[in-house]
Amino acid sequence: MAWYDAQMKNNILTWSRTQTIRARNRLARWVGGCVYCGDSETACDFSPRLCAPCADKLTGLNVHRCGRCAVMLMTDDALCLPCMQSPPALRHTFAFADYHTVMQHLILNYKFHNMLHAAPVLADMMHAALTLYAQHLRPDVVVPVPQFEGLTHMRGFVPLQHILQQVDLQGVWLDPPQVKANAVTRLHHAHLQVSSAPKQRRKQIKNAFAAVCDLTGQEVLLIDDVYTTGATLNELARVCLEAGAKSVDALVLARGRKVK
């Protein structure tokens, strides 16, 4: 009886949290001004929800990056030294900006503090990044990085899928690829990757995913918010390749700066 009462209480709390988030999301449509500073200055080029001065604070825009891990390079080399010595499972990685200042604030508050009115501007950033990617490549399947079911119950929504739903893929590709949110499932989530050291990230993400559908002969594009060490995306790429994928690319909103 105690277990039943606890389960009912958990279901009621989850429903209440979900309804609150949905209400905030509806209200966010009428929130005006820049989502970062609140001012109603001139909008930036890629989003009407971010003012030009705040967009200028974004770092890592239009810089030369490693083709495999998207780390910023100071030379004209195609790859960074670590990717030359030990190539990752990913074929290409594209990043919109650095995980720093404005970008870091928006992503952290959106994911962990229910700042849902940041979703439209993050979707605009994703659209801009996909537009650049589409100039060179077109995947067969788009796969967002899956979230563990326990985190979904805790947050009440899936941040990455919420962003993707606001991206107009028809405006990126005339024949848009299929989005398969359930192509890969997450088996466990012992710790949050954001609070772990690089070696620990690689260890705890090992065998954390499993392919649910057949990807034979398909070119896959993985979508994530932040690339820090690449442990999650490379483990996902390995799983997709084992499921028959022809190649796996990754596109992220932000690339973490070099980690020692």
Side-chain angles (χ1 to χ4, degrees):
M1 187 66 180
W3 175 87
Y4 177 79
D5 291 340
Q7 187 69 23
M8 287 297 296
K9 182 179 180 180
N10 181 60
N11 291 339
I12 292 172
L13 289 175
T14 300
W15 179 86
S16 177
R17 189 181 299 113
T18 303
Q19 295 303 313
T20 302
I21 290 172
R22 287 177 179 173
R24 288 179 180 176
N25 187 42
R26 287 194 293 268
L27 287 173
R29 298 178 184 179
W30 289 276
V31 176
C34 175
V35 296
Y36 184 72
C37 68
D39 291 338
S40 299
E41 299 189 35
T42 305
C44 65
D45 295 335
F46 56 83
S47 176
R49 302 300 299 274
L50 192 69
C51 68
C54 287
D56 291 339
K57 295 178 183 177
L58 290 170
T59 59
L61 292 171
N62 304 318
V63 299
H64 180 56
R65 297 182 180 275
C66 171
R68 300 293 288 267
C69 73
V71 70
M72 185 166 53
L73 297 178
M74 304 305 293
T75 65
D76 294 332
D77 296 328
L79 302 175
C80 65
L81 185 59
C83 287
M84 291 181 185
Q85 295 175 336
S86 181
L90 293 165
R91 182 182 62 172
H92 301 298
T93 300
F94 295 80
F96 179 74
D98 286 338
Y99 187 57
H100 187 60
T101 59
V102 175
M103 182 68 83
Q104 186 175 18
H105 171 85
L106 292 175
I107 292 178
L108 280 178
N109 282 279
Y110 169 65
K111 290 178 64 177
F112 299 104
H113 301 288
N114 293 334
M115 183 180 167
L116 292 183
H117 58 280
V121 71
L122 293 174
D124 291 338
M125 294 176 182
M126 183 72 71
H127 185 276
L130 284 169
T131 301
L132 292 174
Y133 175 84
Q135 293 177 2
H136 309 282
L137 298 164
R138 183 199 174 279
D140 299 309
V141 180
V142 173
V143 179
V145 173
Q147 179 175 264
F148 187 57
E149 187 176 353
L151 271 180
T152 302
H153 287 305
M154 182 180 69
R155 289 173 172 166
F157 74 117
V158 182
L160 198 56
Q161 289 186 22
H162 185 57
I163 292 174
L164 271 177
Q165 287 171 358
Q166 302 181 55
V167 176
D168 180 21
L169 293 181
Q170 190 74 43
V172 178
W173 291 281
L174 292 178
D175 180 21
Q178 183 180 5
V179 178
K180 290 188 177 181
N182 299 319
V184 180
T185 186
R186 190 154 196 157
L187 302 177
H188 65 79
H189 193 115
H191 304 281
L192 285 175
Q193 292 285 77
V194 70
S195 59
S196 304
K199 288 185 179 179
Q200 185 64 22
R201 286 172 181 250
R202 289 189 287 269
K203 180 179 179 181
Q204 63 195 21
I205 206 67
K206 191 70 175 175
N207 300 321
F209 302 102
V212 177
C213 64
D214 183 23
L215 299 173
T216 302
Q218 295 185 322
E219 295 187 354
V220 178
L221 175 62
L222 300 175
I223 300 289
D224 203 1
D225 49 9
V226 182
Y227 184 120
T228 307
T229 63
T232 299
L233 285 168
N234 275 288
E235 179 65 15
L236 263 174
R238 183 188 65 81
V239 170
C240 291
L241 291 171
E242 289 181 352
K246 182 180 178 181
S247 64
V248 183
D249 296 336
L251 187 142
V252 297
L253 285 171
R255 175 56 162 99
R257 295 185 170 183
K258 194 69 175 180
V259 179
K260 292 185 179 180

